[in-house]
Amino acid sequence: SKMVPQNPANPVKLADAIANEPRFADEAEREPIVQTLLDMAQKLEGLYRHASTHAAGIVIGDRPLSELVPMYRDPRSDMPVTQFNMKYVEQAGLVKFDFLGLKTLTVLETAVKLIRRRGIEIDLATIPLDDPDTYAMLSRGEVVGVFQVESAGMRKALIGMRPDCIEDIIALVALYRPGPMENIPTYNARKHGEEEMASIHPKIDHLVKETQGVIVYQEQVMQIAQELSGYSLGEADLLRRAMGKKIRAEMDKQRERFVSGAVERGVGKPQADFIFDLLAKFADYGFNKSHAAAYAVVSYQTAYLKAHYPVEFLAASMTLDMGNTDKLADFRQDALRLGIEVLAPSVISSFRPFEVGENRIYYSLAALKGVGDAAVEHIVAQRGEKPFKNLADFCERVDPKIVGKRVFESLIMAGALDCFGHDRASMMAGVERMMGLASLAQQNAVSGQHDIFGASLGAQSQALNLPATDPWLAADRLHREFQVVGFYLSAHPLDEYKAALQKMRVQTWAEFSAAVKRGAAAGRLAGTVTSKQERKTRTGNKMGVIAFSDTSGQYEAVLFSEGLAQYRDLLEAGRSVVITVAAEDRPEGVNLRINSVQSLEDEASRIQKALRIFVRNAAPINTLAGQLAVRGEGQVSFVLIKEEGEGEIEIELPNRYRISPQIASAMRAVPGVVEVELV
């Protein structure tokens, strides 16, 4: 099979592969069974491999379907299936419908239920379609989560259109497709009085007034044929079909009918021919208005809820996109922009869905990788009306068969157990002890026994002493959090470099991508590596696709073979770096190519001049001395805070040391250190 070229775009027939590959003949001559195999394979080639069922197609007949068409039972469904495909069932006399499920409808329903908890009843069927706040939000392009208009292109079109009525949204849904989208600037210019609306013919101008003189809908083609040439509704539908299919003979027949009808009603033949050609052009990609209107209304409903109830709307959207961490990151970023607090996951306050509070969203436990619905439902059920008192109480009340070691580790890494006041590193080191306590509690619960002295588990609970271990560095803690959450939630690794990045004049991704759209072709960015993929190019050389995250979003950049070999070690997941890039604005987005990579820690250490460590006594000094092992250019001083606010004593060390935000972060984690200040 490896001798048959694999080209999905242009599949090679087996006969051609055999003719062009001499090894087939050699193998067939050596083993006759190979020739039998090739003969059978050519007979089977092109036949259906399996029976598949249309995802949404439902057929309806006036009698049992088995009397009209051959039937088949799909083993994956209880519903009978027609053996004829969608083309032939209609010819057999059945009516076919496509019933499509839409996740957005569930988002709307979920948001309405959340709003109802505030005592507010929303009937989406009766909300006003002329709400100024909704159209103002759409005109600003604030459309994260808004159905149909989330893409960068749609956002740009909305900002240009500045919609103020539902008809604008309907037109945009119909126009934003290859072909018709070239008419969006014309629509916008005419809407805002920047361009005069051209007349097609006085008899039909009123039919295209709603769409600024642009023919957008198939219904408009049919109405024009009725008005101008006296078509019946049935004839107009045949015209629409003929124009869509571009059948030459049918088009010639329709042209004769259209032009003669128009001439009879006082339209000149040249103008009638011109209008027919115009209709044929637009009918090629004309959109069904009723379809566009249905989608536009759902789009408006999502926009209305976001404009007036953003907390509930975003929580519902996050719940329905729980498995898509890129979308969750976008929703969370949008929530922060709107001043909505997104609380980190916690076994005390979180549930399976994203829940809402007063201008806040509680992060879902089920959205964490490695946790799962069963574990979350068990934790929430065990919590009930009685919150977990401490970590030991949590361990005793959960079933380790449901909340296993992997779940415990994911909860620790995500910060969902931070509420009990223990350090994440010590909990991770003591996860076996936590599992042991959970197992013992379950065994005793099943047997109905206490310990051998007749006491309850209180003694064991008190004995849940977690191992003493060094806290994780901020970068390590956040990288582990990223692995479970899918993005940086509680903080970002670049936060501690904020002052250094300002001095280095490094742009954020949001700033740079906006600059590229204005014409910039190169820049300097900082980012934390979230993933690295190595691939082979067509020429066989290696290239890297590196994903980065900064405080404004996530982005990708490519790196070719020489650069990949030079910078591979710096581009490991979790490392923070400074990169120089070449950029190109393409239709699918901004494309980046990496030119150079430097360690952000090294770059930041070069510009830091001094480090001040605030302490109350000498207890942490020996531990801190270990952090100052490398000599450098930085000045270090200890500031002793005297008792009862009597002042401070600053002691400057005689030597110079290497200092950086990461070193400062490690020092802050040392017990007894009050604060560390980089200057």
Side-chain angles (χ1 to χ4, degrees):
S1 63
K2 291 181 180 178
M3 289 191 278
V4 180
Q6 296 295 316
N7 185 358
N10 186 20
V12 177
K13 289 188 176 180
L14 193 52
D16 295 335
I18 293 170
N20 295 326
E21 177 53 75
R23 286 181 294 171
F24 277 115
D26 295 342
E27 291 293 332
E29 188 176 339
R30 193 160 46 243
E31 292 190 56
I33 196 170
V34 172
Q35 186 60 53
T36 305
L37 174 67
L38 295 176
D39 292 340
M40 291 177 64
Q42 289 180 79
K43 290 175 182 176
L44 292 171
E45 186 178 24
L47 297 178
Y48 289 119
R49 187 183 64 183
H50 63 284
S52 56
T53 304
H54 193 289
I58 301 293
V59 289
I60 300 173
D62 61 352
R63 69 198 79 171
L65 297 183
S66 57
E67 296 179 16
L68 295 167
V69 292
M71 304 298 291
Y72 162 75
R73 184 166 292 282
D74 187 337
R76 297 164 299 178
S77 169
D78 293 331
M79 189 178 291
V81 180
T82 66
Q83 290 190 30
F84 288 177
N85 66 19
M86 61 183 183
K87 178 180 177 181
Y88 295 109
V89 289
E90 289 185 329
Q91 294 179 20
L94 300 178
V95 180
K96 180 178 71 70
F97 293 90
D98 276 3
F99 290 95
L100 304 177
L102 198 60
K103 179 182 67 178
T104 306
L105 298 178
T106 310
V107 171
L108 291 170
E109 181 185 38
T110 304
V112 167
K113 287 178 180 176
L114 291 173
I115 295 165
R116 189 176 295 137
R117 294 183 191 172
R118 291 165 52 180
I120 301 171
E121 281 292 339
I122 299 287
D123 181 359
L124 291 173
T126 60
I127 59 173
L129 294 178
D130 58 354
D131 180 62
D133 292 340
T134 301
Y135 289 114
M137 183 190 77
L138 290 171
S139 298
R140 293 192 300 269
E142 296 170 4
V143 290
V144 173
V146 179
F147 181 59
Q148 286 279 298
V149 296
E150 279 192 274
S151 70
M154 269 287 199
R155 184 171 170 270
K156 183 179 178 182
L158 275 172
I159 293 170
M161 180 178 282
R162 302 197 298 277
D164 54 14
C165 60
I166 192 66
E167 286 77 15
D168 285 340
I169 309 298
I170 298 170
L172 184 60
V173 169
L175 284 169
Y176 195 80
R177 292 173 300 115
M181 66 193 314
E182 66 189 32
N183 292 307
I184 293 176
T186 302
Y187 183 102
N188 292 349
R190 291 177 179 178
K191 175 178 171 62
H192 300 303
E194 297 161 5
E195 180 182 307
E196 192 173 335
M197 195 182 301
S199 171
I200 300 173
H201 190 279
K203 285 189 174 183
I204 60 172
D205 285 346
H206 66 285
L207 298 175
V208 292
K209 184 179 179 182
E210 174 192 319
T211 52
Q212 312 300 329
V214 178
I215 300 172
V216 176
Y217 310 118
Q218 293 175 350
E219 288 89 339
Q220 287 174 315
V221 172
M222 296 168 66
Q223 285 176 310
I224 289 170
Q226 284 180 274
E227 193 89 18
L228 209 62
S229 301
Y231 273 63
S232 67
L233 278 173
E235 286 180 308
D237 191 49
L238 291 174
L239 171 67
R240 177 191 62 80
R241 290 190 185 189
M243 286 182 166
K245 292 179 180 178
K246 289 284 186 286
I247 302 169
R248 183 73 188 178
E250 185 64 26
M251 285 288 282
D252 290 343
K253 181 179 171 184
Q254 288 292 345
R255 179 186 291 274
E256 185 180 338
R257 165 71 180 89
F258 182 90
V259 172
S260 63
V263 170
E264 286 175 14
R265 285 161 180 76
V267 180
K269 186 177 183 303
Q271 191 170 19
D273 273 317
F274 169 76
I275 294 172
F276 184 86
D277 290 335
L278 189 66
L279 293 181
K281 176 188 172 186
F282 283 103
D284 189 27
Y285 47 65
F287 205 68
N288 183 289
K289 185 182 180 182
S290 58
H291 186 94
Y295 274 74
V297 167
V298 174
S299 179
Y300 178 85
Q301 289 171 343
T302 58
Y304 180 88
L305 290 185
K306 183 175 182 182
H308 294 277
Y309 307 99
V311 177
E312 289 81 2
F313 175 75
L314 287 173
S317 298
M318 293 173 88
T319 295
L320 270 295
D321 262 316
M322 197 177 287
N324 186 337
T325 53
D326 289 342
K327 291 289 290 181
L328 291 179
D330 290 342
F331 289 132
R332 185 250 186 178
Q333 196 77 22
D334 204 46
L336 296 180
R337 181 187 63 80
L338 293 168
I340 299 167
E341 185 181 10
V342 180
L343 295 179
S346 166
V347 294
I348 285 181
S349 58
S350 296
F351 292 81
R352 186 202 170 279
F354 287 80
E355 286 290 349
V356 298
E358 187 62 39
N359 204 43
R360 59 178 51 175
I361 296 172
Y362 294 92
Y363 204 87
S364 160
L365 288 176
L368 304 177
K369 296 174 184 176
V371 177
D373 286 349
V376 174
E377 288 168 4
H378 176 70
I379 290 169
V380 172
Q382 290 300 310
R383 184 176 70 204
E385 299 297 321
K386 183 183 175 185
F388 300 116
K389 292 182 291 186
N390 49 45
L391 182 59
D393 183 42
F394 174 78
C395 294
E396 289 173 7
R397 287 164 63 182
V398 298
D399 186 343
K401 293 177 182 175
I402 302 173
V403 183
K405 183 180 178 182
R406 171 77 193 280
V407 176
F408 266 98
E409 289 174 342
S410 293
L411 292 172
I412 292 167
M413 290 163 69
L417 299 181
D418 288 359
C419 50
F420 299 126
H422 297 279
D423 179 73
R424 293 185 195 181
S426 63
M427 284 192 286
M428 188 64 86
V431 73
E432 294 290 352
R433 298 183 189 182
M434 293 157 63
M435 290 292 296
L437 179 58
S439 297
L440 181 61
Q442 284 300 309
Q443 290 169 14
N444 288 348
V446 170
S447 64
Q449 296 177 349
H450 298 290
D451 63 28
I452 59 173
F453 300 106
S456 70
L457 276 171
Q460 281 93 349
S461 299
Q462 296 300 320
L464 182 59
N465 294 319
L466 298 174
T469 184
D470 291 335
W472 292 333
L473 293 176
D476 188 25
R477 175 174 56 81
L478 290 171
H479 180 59
R480 291 170 188 256
E481 185 179 295
F482 182 94
Q483 289 177 309
V484 179
V485 178
F487 58 93
Y488 295 109
L489 179 61
S490 63
H492 196 282
L494 299 189
D495 288 346
E496 60 187 1
Y497 294 94
K498 186 176 180 181
L501 291 172
Q502 287 176 341
K503 291 179 183 177
M504 293 158 64
R505 296 185 178 179
V506 171
Q507 290 177 287
T508 66
W509 164 242
E511 292 167 345
F512 181 65
S513 58
V516 172
K517 293 183 185 300
R518 294 193 300 268
R524 196 168 186 230
L525 302 170
T528 302
V529 179
T530 57
S531 71
K532 177 180 71 176
Q533 294 180 341
E534 295 190 15
R535 302 173 184 168
K536 282 195 174 181
T537 64
R538 292 177 184 174
T539 58
N541 293 323
K542 280 192 173 182
M543 66 172 286
V545 180
I546 319 298
F548 296 95
S549 171
D550 74 1
T551 53
S552 69
Q554 301 190 49
Y555 59 97
E556 278 189 352
V558 298
L559 185 68
F560 293 102
S561 54
E562 289 183 11
L564 185 61
Q566 183 178 356
Y567 301 121
R568 181 180 277 112
D569 293 343
L570 284 173
L571 295 170
E572 292 300 324
R575 295 286 298 269
S576 293
V577 294
V578 177
I579 58 175
T580 57
V581 295
E584 184 181 355
D585 188 17
R586 295 182 178 177
E588 65 272 17
V590 176
N591 181 270
L592 300 181
R593 189 181 74 252
I594 297 173
N595 292 328
S596 68
V597 184
Q598 284 94 30
S599 163
L600 177 55
E601 181 73 3
D602 292 345
E603 291 295 297
S605 68
R606 290 193 186 100
I607 62 171
Q608 302 295 344
K609 302 299 182 186
L611 181 75
R612 302 175 78 210
I613 308 163
F614 293 80
V615 296
R616 296 190 187 280
N617 52 51
I621 298 298
N622 289 335
T623 306
L624 291 169
Q627 306 282 356
L628 298 171
V630 181
R631 294 293 177 90
E633 300 298 322
Q635 173 191 317
V636 178
S637 57
F638 284 90
V639 180
L640 177 64
I641 303 172
K642 298 174 74 175
E643 295 290 335
E644 299 178 359
E646 293 181 4
E648 299 174 345
I649 300 173
E650 184 167 352
I651 305 166
E652 183 180 320
L653 300 185
N655 296 318
R656 294 289 184 267
Y657 299 91
R658 184 179 188 274
I659 58 176
S660 71
Q662 193 170 34
I663 291 170
S665 176
M667 289 180 168
R668 287 190 190 98
V670 174
V673 173
V674 177
E675 181 56 278
V676 179
E677 187 180 87
L678 273 168
V679 182

